[in-house]
Amino acid sequence: QFVPDRGGNDRETTMERIVILTGAGVSAESGLGTFRDKGGLWSQYDLEDVATPQGYARDPELVLGFYNARRQNCRAAEPNAAHAALARLQRARAGVTLVTQNIDDLHERGGASEVLHMHGELMQALCAACGHRWGWSGDMGLGDACPACGAAGTVRPDVVWFGEMPYLMDEIFARLAAATLFVSIGTSGAVYPAAGFVDEAAAQGAETLEINLEPSEGSRLFERQILGPATETVPAWVDALLAGGGGA
Ligand code: NAD
Ligand code: APR
C-alpha cells in the first residue's frame, strides 16, 4: 500500500493505519437526535441538568429519565448504511480503528468489531459509589442496588458527562500517533478532546478527511472534505477505498 506523504512523495508503508472518529451525525439517519443541529438535544434539554455530574447530584431521577428515553430510542433504531459500510471496511482491512463519541450501540449492531467508546455506552450501567460496570437491563432505576457493592441509589448510565474525563484516551492517542489516515464522520468538532484529534494526526503526517453533512467547526483543519448525508457519503468512500483509491 503506498500512502503519499504530505510532501506529495510516495513512501512505501507496510500497512495503512486508519483512525475513524464518528459523532452523532453517523446515527442521525437512524433517527437518533444529534446535539447541536437544529432541534438537537441541547436545544430540548439544559445540558447542565442532564449531562453533568452536578445535574445528577441535584436530580438523579431527571438524568436517569433523560437517558432512559435515549435508550428506548436507541433500542427502536436500526443501524444505517454508514454503520454497515464502516463494519465492511473493518472486515476488509486490518488496521482500521473506530473511535466514537456516540453512546448508542449502532456501530456494534451494524457489525463493527472493535469500537472505542470515548464517551461511554448507553447500554452500560455504572455504580457512582464503587465504579462497577454492568449491562443496563429493563427499567433499572435508583431502587436497584449495585450488584458489586450493594449500594442503592447510585446507579447511573456509564456515560461521560461534561467535566469528566473521556475514556480510552491513551489508547486513542496511541492510534492517532501511528495513523496514516484520520477520518472524522458526523461530528460538529465542537467538543474537545475529540475536536483536537485531527491536529494530533496531521502533526505526525497522517492524511485527514472530514465526511459531514455540512462544514463543521473544525473543517479548516482537514486536507479534504466530503459533504452529504452519511448513508450516501460513507458507503461511497468505503467502496472507493476498497477499490484501491487513496484514503483521503
Ligand atoms: P467540553 O468542556 O470540551 O465541552 C465543551 C463543549 O460542550 C462546548 O463547546 C459546548 O459545545 C458544549 N457545552 C459545554 N457546556 C455547555 C453548556 N452549558 N451549554 C451548552 N453547551 C455546552 O466537554 P467536557 O466538559 O470536557 O466533557 C468531557 C467529555 O464529556 C466531552 O468529550 C463531552 O463530549 C463528553 N460528554 C458526553 C455526553 C454524552 O451524553 N455522551 C454529554 C456531555 C459531555
Ligand atoms: N450525515 C452526516 N453528518 C450529519 C448528518 C448526516 N445525516 N446529520 C447531522 N450531521 C452532522 C452535523 O452537520 C454536525 O456537524 O453531525 C454533526 C453533529 O454534531 P453534534 O450534534 O455536535 O454531535 P457531536 O459532534 O457528536 O457532539 C460531540 O458533544 O454533547 C457532547 O458527548 C456529546 O458526543 C457528543 C459530543
Side-chain angles (χ1 to χ4, degrees):
Q1 300 284 353
F2 278 86
V3 176
D5 67 19
R6 294 175 71 78
N9 312 308
D10 279 350
R11 58 182 166 81
E12 185 165 359
T13 173
T14 49
M15 181 180 76
E16 274 192 339
R17 290 177 298 282
I18 303 174
V19 176
I20 298 167
L21 169 72
T22 64
V26 82
S27 297
E29 290 165 88
S30 293
L32 297 188
T34 61
F35 293 91
R36 295 172 188 87
D37 284 320
K38 190 169 171 338
L41 281 168
W42 297 149
S43 65
Q44 301 166 46
Y45 295 86
D46 182 339
L47 177 151
E48 301 290 342
D49 291 339
V50 294
T52 61
Q54 296 79 2
Y56 177 75
R58 260 195 318 272
D59 187 347
E61 290 290 0
L62 174 73
V63 173
L64 293 191
F66 172 68
Y67 285 97
N68 287 345
R70 291 180 65 189
R71 195 171 301 105
Q72 280 161 13
N73 292 343
C74 185
R75 288 202 171 110
E78 290 300 325
N80 62 49
H83 297 110
L86 293 175
R88 184 154 51 86
L89 177 60
Q90 277 189 316
R91 287 193 297 274
R93 285 279 178 87
V96 176
T97 296
L98 185 52
V99 179
T100 188
Q101 298 173 92
N102 298 340
I103 58 178
D104 64 55
D105 60 352
L106 295 184
H107 279 303
E108 290 85 350
R109 287 164 55 199
S113 44
E114 184 203 34
V115 184
L116 303 183
H117 280 273
M118 63 180 285
H119 291 168
E121 296 178 72
L122 198 49
M123 302 306 174
Q124 289 292 310
L126 173 71
C127 174
C130 75
H132 177 64
R133 284 186 178 82
W134 69 105
W136 196 282
S137 61
D139 53 358
M140 255 165 53
L142 290 167
D144 290 275
C146 167
C149 73
T154 60
V155 68
R156 58 173 274 189
D158 185 19
V159 160
V160 177
W161 288 327
F162 287 102
E164 295 181 326
M165 275 305 293
Y167 293 154
L168 301 166
M169 294 316 296
D170 291 346
E171 179 65 27
I172 293 167
F173 280 113
R175 306 285 181 102
L176 290 169
T180 54
L181 171 63
F182 174 70
V183 186
S184 174
I185 302 174
T187 179
S188 60
V191 181
Y192 284 84
F197 289 173
V198 57
D199 286 325
E200 294 291 323
Q204 56 78 6
E207 292 178 83
T208 56
L209 166 65
E210 179 180 52
I211 301 177
N212 211 48
L213 185 65
E214 60 205 8
S216 72
E217 293 187 30
S219 291
R220 74 196 184 296
L221 302 171
F222 288 85
E223 284 168 308
R224 211 175 137 227
Q225 190 178 59
I226 300 172
L227 293 181
T231 55
E232 294 169 20
T233 52
V234 177
W237 170 67
V238 169
D239 289 346
L241 188 66
L242 295 183

